[in-house]
Amino acid sequence: QVQLVESGGGSVQAGGSLSLSCAGSRNIVGINAMGWYRQAPGTQRELVAIITRDGRTTYADSVKGRFTISRDNAKNTVYLQMNSLKPEDTAVYYCTMEFVYWGQGTQVTVSS
């Protein structure tokens, strides 16, 4: 059973920054897709960003230019740097490995 543990969520004012981390319980070198999704109250879970094994990235239009996803295979960790945060970024952020395994989520709250 693979475990993913997210950390780094919290509360910040609009325009601020947060950095999320997701540590996996297994080696991620051979894992193709690692990524982040988010879910706000009353909405469906949505893609935020994905990074592949060879470093290709995909971002939701709403976060392009503000968020950056990266991975450190040596640490079995994927990161999400979030800058210029907006109130509409408020959600629970989930890490995923190959869209099969999911973390427990970390809350991000952005106040105006």
Side-chain angles (χ1 to χ4, degrees):
Q1 181 70 19
V2 175
Q3 290 186 327
L4 300 173
V5 179
E6 299 105 335
S7 60
S11 297
V12 66
Q13 289 190 328
S17 298
L18 284 173
S19 182
L20 305 183
S21 299
C22 172
S25 63
R26 60 153 287 179
N27 190 296
I28 67 170
V29 171
I31 299 298
N32 186 33
M34 298 288 299
W36 293 92
Y37 276 66
R38 67 186 181 187
Q39 187 169 19
T43 70
Q44 291 187 328
R45 194 172 295 189
E46 64 175 6
L47 170 72
V48 177
I50 295 291
I51 185 166
T52 63
R53 182 170 48 205
D54 57 2
R56 287 177 294 170
T57 57
T58 299
Y59 294 94
D61 287 343
S62 58
V63 307
K64 282 181 182 177
R66 300 187 297 121
F67 291 12
T68 302
I69 189 172
S70 60
R71 62 192 283 172
D72 185 338
N73 292 336
K75 296 182 178 180
N76 301 329
T77 300
V78 63
Y79 304 95
L80 185 69
Q81 178 64 41
M82 305 184 293
N83 299 327
S84 301
L85 282 160
K86 304 175 180 180
E88 51 263 44
D89 295 318
T90 295
V92 177
Y93 283 69
Y94 297 91
C95 173
T96 181
M97 175 186 289
E98 299 281 30
F99 313 105
V100 172
Y101 302 103
W102 295 85
Q104 81 287 354
T106 185
Q107 176 71 47
V108 171
T109 303
V110 184
S111 59
S112 58

